[in-house]
């Protein structure tokens, strides 16, 4: 697998589906059986989930989904003890859900299937600026990774194909959870990602109006959403305010 691993560093490299599948299988084996190297395997997996093959087929999504489920389970069951490893796991999930072939969360079979809504709830908990030790650099990095996952999830769920304009459970969680975090978040990158996640839902063609009404009904926005004086952040906060008017 060494040649594949070095090939991952080359963003221009062309991939066959069987090679990507083989890497997924190899890295899952490392993650499941070699605790010393979990962090390195996750670091590589976050690149693998972004690679597209020249001949995509059904198996591509199956491998992507299996790897995503494995990593989601590690987070859900609190099996990753270091903050750095947990941050890397969120990078894998964020990249997977933001990729051109997002994992299939709905059709997973087996006892340890994790639903997208469960992972969204955990991401909100991991990106909570009020938890103990929130100001440590490693916790800031964890919040940034979990917030990236929330933003990419917001992009997926805001385009979801269910009928009507009802907000799904996942959308409600992201919308309310991110708004809750915004006034307390001191890290600019995390705050930007929360603003972007909220904006994604508020401007959704299908669900935007319902989302805006919900935010207004619950009185979630009281003046400025962001603290801090960062220009880019102020711009995002203004955009969110405009969507709500």
């Amino acid at each position: 697998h060494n040649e594949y691993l070095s090939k991952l560093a080359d963003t221009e490299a062309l991939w066959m589906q069987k090679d990507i599948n083989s890497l997924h299988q190899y890295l899952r084996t490392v993650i499941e059986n070699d605790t010393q190297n979990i962090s390195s395997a996750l670091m590589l997996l976050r690149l693998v989930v972004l690679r597209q093959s020249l001949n995509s087929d059904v198996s591509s999504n199956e491998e992507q989904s299996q790897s995503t489920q494995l990593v989601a389970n590690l987070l859900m069951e609190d099996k990753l003890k270091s903050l750095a490893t947990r941050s890397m796991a969120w990078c894998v999930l964020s990249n997977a859900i933001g990729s051109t072939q997002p994992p299939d969360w709905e059709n997973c079979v087996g006892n340890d299937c994790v639903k997208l809504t469960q992972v969204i709830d955990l991401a909100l908990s991991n990106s909570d600026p009020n938890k103990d030790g929130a100001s440590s650099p490693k916790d800031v990095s964890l919040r940034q990774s979990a917030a990236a996952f929330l933003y990419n999830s917001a992009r997926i769920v805001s385009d979801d194909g269910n009928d009507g304009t009802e907000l799904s459970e996942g959308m409600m969680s992201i919308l309310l959870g991110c708004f809750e975090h915004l006034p307390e978040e001191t890290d600019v990158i995390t705050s930007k990602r929360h603003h972007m996640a909220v904006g994604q839902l508020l401007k959704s063609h299908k669900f935007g109006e319902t989302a805006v009404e919900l935010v207004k009904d619950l009185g979630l926005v009281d003046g400025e959403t962001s603290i801090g004086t960062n220009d880019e952040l102020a711009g995002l906060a203004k955009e969110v305010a405009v969507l709500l008017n």
Side-chain angles (χ1 to χ4, degrees):
H1 287 91
N2 285 347
E3 58 168 308
Y4 294 155
L5 296 176
S6 51
K7 189 175 168 181
L8 274 175
D10 178 4
T11 50
E12 302 296 311
L14 301 174
W15 290 86
M16 298 306 286
Q17 190 59 53
K18 65 178 175 48
D19 299 338
I20 295 179
N21 290 356
S22 172
L23 265 181
H24 271 289
Q25 289 155 11
Y26 168 66
L27 290 172
R28 284 204 301 272
T29 305
V30 174
I31 290 167
E32 287 177 305
N33 302 303
D34 182 0
T35 46
Q36 294 298 305
N37 288 307
I38 281 187
S39 203
S40 309
L42 289 170
M43 208 176 281
L44 292 167
L45 189 56
R46 84 192 154 98
L47 299 175
V48 175
V49 295
L50 291 172
R51 296 294 175 260
Q52 248 186 307
S53 74
L54 296 167
N55 60 333
S56 290
D57 57 25
V58 178
S59 70
S60 60
N61 223 15
E62 282 171 13
E63 293 297 339
Q64 182 96 309
S65 298
Q66 277 189 52
S67 296
T68 308
Q69 281 289 330
L70 174 63
V71 175
N73 262 299
L74 292 174
L75 282 165
M76 294 296 296
E77 292 170 17
D78 204 15
K79 287 185 176 165
L80 304 172
K81 293 308 171 195
S82 84
L83 287 176
T85 312
R86 275 171 39 209
S87 298
M88 193 52 67
W90 282 118
C91 284
V92 172
L93 295 185
S94 175
N95 283 359
I97 205 165
S99 71
T100 49
Q101 284 184 309
D104 181 356
W105 295 90
E106 295 309 312
N107 298 312
C108 168
V109 287
N111 297 332
D112 51 359
C113 280
V114 179
K115 291 285 179 221
L116 180 57
T117 48
Q118 293 172 287
V119 190
I120 286 171
D121 286 344
L122 185 64
L124 285 164
S125 153
N126 277 198
S127 64
D128 182 354
N130 291 316
K131 60 182 185 296
D132 287 345
S135 56
S136 76
K138 282 185 174 167
D139 198 275
V140 169
S141 160
L142 177 68
R143 294 208 305 283
Q144 289 175 355
S145 305
F149 171 80
L150 289 167
Y151 168 60
N152 279 336
S153 299
R155 290 172 53 209
I156 293 282
V157 294
S158 63
D159 294 334
D160 244 357
N162 58 337
D163 296 326
T165 54
E166 288 293 301
L167 294 178
S168 70
E169 192 185 334
M171 280 189 251
M172 298 264 281
S173 296
I174 294 172
L175 192 63
L176 305 185
C178 288
F179 262 121
E180 209 171 289
H181 291 343
L182 281 174
E184 308 293 330
E185 183 54 73
T186 52
D187 175 61
V188 170
I189 292 174
T190 306
S191 190
K192 266 164 48 176
R193 288 171 179 170
H194 282 329
H195 273 97
M196 284 156 61
V198 162
Q200 197 71 36
L201 295 172
L202 294 177
K203 69 180 189 199
S204 158
H205 291 305
K206 202 167 185 182
F207 307 104
E209 275 182 44
T210 316
V212 168
E213 274 172 37
L214 180 68
V215 170
K216 286 180 173 173
D217 288 350
L218 294 174
L220 290 177
V221 179
D222 183 16
E224 285 300 304
T225 50
S226 75
I227 49 180
T229 51
N230 180 282
D231 285 350
E232 204 178 343
L233 208 48
L236 282 169
K238 209 169 250 117
E239 279 177 46
V240 168
V242 167
L243 288 168
L244 287 165
N245 280 335

